[in-house]
Amino acid sequence: MNPADLPPELAQTTTPGLIGAVRAIAQGPLAEQAYAIDRGAYPVDVMKQLAAAGAMSAHLPQADGTPGDYGLAILAMAEAAKVCGATGFMMWCQCVAGLYMQASGNPALTGERLARHVGGETLGGTGLSNPMKSFAQIEALLLKATPVEGGYLVNGTLPWVSNLGPDHYFGAIASVQVDGACAGREMMFMLRCDAPGVTLKACPEFSGMEGTGTYSVHCKDLFVGSDDVVADPAKPYIARIRGGFVLLQCGIAAGIIQGAIDSMWAVEGQLGHVNQFLEDRPAELQAEFDALVARIMKLAETPFDTSTDYFIDVLDARAHGAELCLRAANSALMHQGARGYLMSSEVQRRVREAQFVAIVTPAIKHLRKEIARLSAEEMPA
């Protein structure tokens, strides 16, 4: 990271390295905007600063040939999520959009478009919530793709897609239809929000995470040409990237957990005499969290391991992170008491952010369902 890539006021305060750069952004402009983001303000400037710092591209192979570092990307995401969980989530969206493009092998996606993406010149998200649920037999695939000359026509609606704006884009998967019937395969593509046939519609107001650029996306005869195709068929591609896709989400939980623990320590001097009677005390949570982070960092060394055992471990770590997130955020509220219940309190906000981590795809119930299914498949007959 070159501090010259940051605004002058941040370049003067940042410590060397990516984590120091992200910390400077998180504790500066992001901290100033966290309340507004929770109420619906999309932090485009902060997202671009984080991308320019390298926070959303650390997991990808670097221009100098250095391999991607998933552990570093997770830790960078956690630095931001510690201050604002919504921003940590949007960082994950940007990270996986970059992964889709880089891993596609499509020169139209891996060239200038990827370079602009990783630099934060353009922003994108992921529309794989519905496909991941579909592959787990939780719900039906909502987008349909009909082959036409030069590509596909896509129709359908995705109800929740995040990190979007009028000129953004995201990875999506559609079921291929031939003569009105399912062709038995899916195709993945980058869906541009400003393409003809695409309409973004505002979602109902959420209890939190309002500033995440989340929309309902409607497609009417959207043409998808070869330049936007990520994978066709999609399932073999998803099997290759699924570990990294899920593992990166651990950065969101990690930041929220550490932020919650820090807020407990913040009142220990004043309230420790009574807080000592609470369960899930900060030292206990920190020990459990540190062990989980060590486990995640080990998994991050081999994000493209396609073995079932490895993916079960990734799913279990992600589930543990979500469950610990809920416990830590709730305990932080108990430790802070009435001051933590104020609408302006970061402690109160983290409770809602933790709930989001628990329900966003893959939700805890989805994770446990997949772990049970995959474990059953691995058992000898």
Side-chain angles (χ1 to χ4, degrees):
M1 160 63 194
N2 182 358
D5 294 334
L6 293 174
E9 64 274 16
L10 294 180
Q12 293 172 5
T13 60
T14 188
T15 56
L18 174 59
I19 300 302
V22 173
R23 186 175 297 135
I25 296 169
Q27 296 179 0
L30 178 56
E32 295 171 0
Q33 298 179 45
Y35 179 78
I37 294 168
D38 184 50
R39 304 315 302 157
Y42 179 79
V44 61
D45 292 341
V46 170
M47 289 294 292
K48 288 179 178 292
Q49 288 175 17
L50 289 166
M56 277 90 95
S57 57
H59 61 303
L60 302 177
Q62 303 299 299
D64 62 2
T66 304
D69 188 335
Y70 272 71
L72 181 59
I74 290 168
L75 294 176
M77 197 181 302
E79 278 295 326
K82 186 163 59 175
V83 174
C84 174
T87 300
F89 170 60
M90 288 182 285
M91 289 176 69
W92 172 77
C93 293
Q94 182 82 358
C95 282
V96 293
L99 170 62
Y100 300 157
M101 298 165 74
Q102 187 274 328
S104 71
N106 183 344
L109 295 175
T110 58
E112 180 184 354
R113 286 171 68 180
L114 179 58
R116 296 181 66 216
H117 177 83
V118 299
E121 296 177 49
T122 60
L123 299 171
T126 171
L128 263 59
S129 176
N130 166 247
M132 289 298 186
K133 292 176 184 176
S134 175
F135 295 157
Q137 299 180 333
I138 295 174
E139 63 185 36
L141 206 56
L142 297 176
L143 296 184
K144 311 295 183 186
T146 303
V148 295
E149 184 177 354
Y152 293 92
L153 286 182
V154 174
N155 287 275
T157 298
L158 294 176
W160 326 106
V161 185
S162 299
N163 202 38
L164 297 189
D167 59 349
H168 294 197
Y169 44 85
F170 63 94
I173 293 179
S175 171
V176 177
Q177 308 286 305
V178 176
D179 295 329
C182 180
R185 76 177 198 278
E186 299 79 23
M187 55 85 66
M188 183 171 176
F189 61 102
M190 297 305 293
L191 194 160
R192 307 188 203 200
C193 296
D194 58 359
V198 177
T199 304
L200 300 184
K201 295 187 177 180
C203 295
E205 184 177 4
F206 300 120
S207 65
M209 312 291 282
E210 270 291 279
T212 55
T214 301
Y215 294 89
S216 171
V217 182
H218 300 249
C219 300
K220 176 66 175 176
D221 291 335
L222 164 67
F223 177 74
V224 177
S226 59
D227 284 356
D228 288 319
V229 173
V230 173
D232 188 0
K235 280 186 178 176
Y237 172 88
I238 293 299
R240 184 158 50 92
I241 69 163
R242 65 183 185 177
F245 171 94
V246 174
L247 196 60
L248 283 169
Q249 277 192 347
C250 293
I252 311 167
I256 295 171
I257 293 166
Q258 188 62 66
I261 294 172
D262 290 349
S263 68
M264 295 181 207
W265 287 121
V267 296
E268 189 65 13
Q270 296 171 290
L271 301 175
H273 65 290
V274 64
N275 281 345
Q276 65 178 308
F277 297 102
L278 290 171
E279 297 180 352
D280 283 330
R281 294 279 283 143
E284 299 164 358
L285 288 171
Q286 189 70 60
E288 182 178 349
F289 175 59
D290 289 346
L292 175 60
V293 170
R295 180 183 173 199
I296 291 168
M297 290 299 102
K298 184 63 178 177
L299 291 169
E301 295 176 3
T302 56
F304 294 102
D305 184 338
T306 58
S307 70
T308 300
D309 284 346
Y310 173 81
F311 193 50
I312 290 173
D313 285 344
V314 169
L315 295 174
D316 188 65
R318 165 70 172 84
H320 187 177
E323 290 158 354
L324 185 56
C325 209
L326 291 171
R327 284 170 47 210
N330 187 66
S331 186
L333 180 59
M334 296 300 100
H335 277 71
Q336 288 247 341
R339 74 192 74 185
Y341 198 59
L342 297 173
M343 196 61 192
S344 58
S345 170
E346 64 180 21
V347 176
Q348 192 273 345
R349 170 166 52 82
R350 282 199 191 95
V351 171
R352 292 179 284 110
E353 291 174 345
Q355 291 168 342
F356 178 81
V357 173
I359 65 170
V360 69
T361 303
I364 290 175
K365 58 188 178 182
H366 182 172
L367 290 161
R368 293 305 182 196
K369 180 180 186 296
E370 278 298 280
I371 290 170
R373 181 183 68 81
L374 293 171
S375 298
E377 288 180 358
E378 286 293 286
M379 292 180 64

